[in-house]
Amino acid sequence: MNRVFVLGNATIDVVLNAARLPGPGETCLAEGMVRCAGGKGLNQALAAANAGANCVFAAPIGSDSEAAYLRETVAGFHTISARWIAMPHPTDHSSIWVAGSGENMILSSAHCARALTSSQARTALADLAQGDTLLVQGNLTAESTREVLGLARARGAITLLNTAPIAWDMRACLALCDVVLANAVECALLVGSADASALRAAGAGTAIVTLGAKGATVAGAGGLEQVSAPPVAAIDTAGAGDVFAGVVAALLCEGRDIRFAAQAAVHAASLSVTRRGTTASFPTCDEMAAILANLDAT
């Protein structure tokens, strides 16, 4: 069975809910707080696993009590095979602010993620093979990211890059990617336009730009397509992009076409924004099976 490899970060998430997000220099009081395991890498691995993928997740973490919490939490996700890479740094954290409208702001540390060397990254993916899928994000260094994308290409694996967060110039990586996933802001930062066609023209094999409540656009060999999102009442958008990325990776690994993968990802992300939290809001295995069955029936 082909596998989805997710190489990325794992963090301790502290989620603060407030009526609105503070402005510059302003202090607001939170209405609630949740602490949980998260990070884009871990989030996307869980979303891929819930979508049916045989998922291998590799992440750099510290040797502290926070790392122990992450190990224990992920051990409970029986659909994920975890490969932890110990770093001489405190485990990374993310502070997530969520407004009553569902919009969010995130600030993350990345000492562990950015300490991962190219050699360590290659070791973590030693058994990546033809037919597998590799999903990476922007938390690692440019050097490590280019290294593993090139490795995956050389071995005949499908390569996906989620451009969040943009911490370095990713344009040199685009040509190594079968699929590049970005939101409109990230796409504009990379190529000067929020148009998926511009992202594809910059080197991506297929470019997908997520548009929140408007769904997504897919630019591939067949041209530009719009994928609509079902109408929902969003209360927390944190993690929705990770759901999208993980579902796309899982379905491409399964052999589904890119349009179907994008449709399923839009529906899964739309469900996640109707619930609070990051991983706690993700569609379950049963919910993902229902989404796929409904799309297959249409």
Side-chain angles (χ1 to χ4, degrees):
M1 181 179 181
N2 295 335
R3 297 163 293 175
V4 172
F5 284 76
V6 181
L7 177 66
N9 70 331
T11 68
I12 300 296
D13 285 357
V14 177
V15 185
L16 296 169
N17 293 283
R20 61 179 179 82
L21 299 176
E26 181 184 16
T27 299
C28 291
L29 296 180
E31 298 173 344
M33 184 185 81
V34 175
R35 182 178 180 274
C36 60
K40 298 196 74 64
L42 175 54
N43 291 348
Q44 292 177 18
L46 180 60
N50 286 358
N54 180 7
C55 189
V56 177
F57 172 54
I61 57 175
S63 300
D64 46 21
S65 60
E66 306 287 46
Y69 174 79
L70 288 174
R71 290 175 183 271
E72 182 180 351
T73 300
V74 176
F77 300 152
H78 301 298
T79 51
I80 297 176
S81 174
R83 298 176 180 178
W84 301 109
I85 306 162
M87 293 291 171
H89 299 287
T91 296
D92 292 328
H93 281 66
S94 290
S95 178
I96 304 172
W97 302 350
V98 182
S101 65
E103 288 302 315
N104 69 82
M105 298 175 68
I106 303 173
L107 190 63
S108 296
S109 67
H111 293 96
C112 284
R114 301 187 65 75
L116 183 73
T117 66
S118 296
S119 176
Q120 289 171 319
R122 289 182 68 93
T123 298
L125 303 178
D127 53 335
L128 179 72
Q130 183 174 2
D132 290 333
T133 296
L134 173 66
L135 172 59
V136 293
Q137 313 82 34
N139 291 290
L140 307 180
T141 63
E143 179 184 5
S144 293
T145 303
R146 285 194 298 267
E147 178 76 14
V148 297
L149 287 171
L151 172 70
R153 269 292 174 86
R155 293 186 180 177
I158 300 170
T159 53
L160 284 83
L161 170 66
N162 174 219
T163 59
I166 296 182
W168 41 269
D169 189 349
M170 295 181 170
R171 287 174 293 181
C173 289
L174 299 182
L176 295 172
C177 302
D178 294 305
V179 180
V180 176
L181 308 166
N183 64 26
V185 172
E186 294 155 3
C187 186
L189 285 172
L190 276 176
V191 297
S193 167
D195 187 343
S197 296
L199 186 55
R200 183 171 188 266
T206 296
I208 302 178
V209 175
T210 57
L211 303 170
K214 295 181 180 179
T217 53
V218 181
L224 186 67
E225 295 185 81
Q226 175 73 36
V227 178
S228 298
V232 297
I235 63 171
D236 185 348
T237 59
D242 295 334
V243 171
F244 192 102
V247 170
V248 168
L251 296 182
L252 291 183
C253 191
E254 186 182 302
R256 298 280 196 162
D257 64 72
I258 190 66
R259 178 168 176 79
F260 183 89
Q263 286 179 315
V266 165
H267 280 75
S270 296
L271 176 58
S272 75
V273 303
T274 65
R275 304 189 283 221
R276 294 200 180 277
T278 47
T279 54
S281 74
F282 290 7
T284 63
C285 295
D286 288 343
E287 288 171 334
M288 278 306 311
I291 288 172
L292 298 177
N294 288 338
L295 289 174
D296 277 328
T298 58

